[in-house]
Amino acid sequence: MKNILIHGLGQDNQSWNNTNMYLKENGIDTICPNLFEITKNTSKDYKMMYNAFSDFCNNQREKLNLCGLSLGGVLALDFVKEYPEKVNSIILIGTPYKIPKILFKFQSLIFHIMPKSTFEKMGCSKREYIILVNSMSNLDIAKNLDRIKCQSIIICGAKDNVNMESAKLLNKNIKNSKFKVISHSAHEVNIDNPKELADIIYDFWKDNQ
């Protein structure tokens, strides 16, 4: 079984470092791809990122345990819908049930005035980042959730008010999924409370190998 941690929008693979450290202490090895690295030879819209992510996952010989935060959760959902036979389990953290279009438009305006260096640290240009965000505005995340048959757990930070309702809707619409709230954390649970997150991931993966 391969365990894959998928970072969120505004993060990179190093955002998992502390969570990964705790998982390794419990004998869990993971792969943490940088989404901007695996798409470095393509455009950065969502469709191309998903295609690159799908190729990355399908190149793994074993079945997969996918754990994604925000954008990473959306990618995990799309992959398990298309390749259910490839996925053993999914963990969705701070993942939207529907794209908040007004919030995305507001964020896009903010991104235009942010310095280029902010985006370069993640491995992409400002223009590429804005293209990615804009390309996600019409995604239908809630579509075909009934196709998901694997073991699933939905996680949300206790202070992530934007995504708490989405987490509950995902839990309601993904059959037999579990729901967990991480204390002392907002949206970036892997940064805010990596220890509690790692404990939940460990227990879930241990029970679903």
Side-chain angles (χ1 to χ4, degrees), residues 111-209:
F111 296 149
H112 276 89
I113 62 175
M114 290 172 63
K116 293 180 180 179
S117 58
T118 302
F119 305 93
E120 291 167 354
K121 289 176 183 177
M122 293 181 285
C124 67
S125 68
K126 179 191 288 193
R127 178 178 176 276
E128 289 172 332
Y129 192 87
I130 293 172
I131 287 172
L132 173 60
V133 171
N134 290 340
S135 71
M136 294 179 66
S137 62
N138 293 315
L139 292 181
D140 189 358
I141 298 169
K143 184 179 180 180
N144 296 325
L145 290 177
D146 58 332
R147 291 184 182 178
I148 301 173
K149 308 298 183 185
C150 65
Q151 292 297 310
S152 311
I153 186 168
I154 316 302
I155 295 174
C156 192
K159 300 176 183 178
D160 187 1
N161 298 322
V162 172
N163 290 290
M164 185 62 72
E165 186 61 29
S166 284
K168 293 176 181 178
L169 286 168
L170 287 169
N171 175 227
K172 178 181 178 181
N173 288 280
I174 296 177
K175 189 175 181 180
N176 298 324
S177 62
K178 299 176 181 178
F179 178 57
K180 293 281 186 179
V181 175
I182 303 287
S183 61
H184 310 296
S185 61
H187 183 54
E188 295 184 298
V189 176
N190 54 354
I191 294 173
D192 295 341
N193 196 343
K195 178 63 168 64
E196 186 174 343
L197 176 60
D199 288 344
I200 290 174
I201 293 173
Y202 170 75
D203 289 339
F204 181 68
W205 281 349
K206 180 185 66 175
D207 293 340
N208 291 289
Q209 294 296 330

Side-chain angles (χ1 to χ4, degrees), residues 3 8 13 17 21 23-24 38 43 46 57 79 98 105 120 122 168 173 185 187 196 204 208-209:
N3 306 311
N13 55 327
N17 283 356
M21 176 186 69
L23 288 171
K24 284 186 176 180
I38 66 175
S43 65
Y46 179 80
C57 289
F79 186 81
K98 292 183 177 180
K105 287 181 180 179
E120 291 167 354
M122 293 181 285
K168 293 176 181 178
N173 288 280
S185 61
H187 183 54
E196 186 174 343
F204 181 68
N208 291 289
Q209 294 296 330

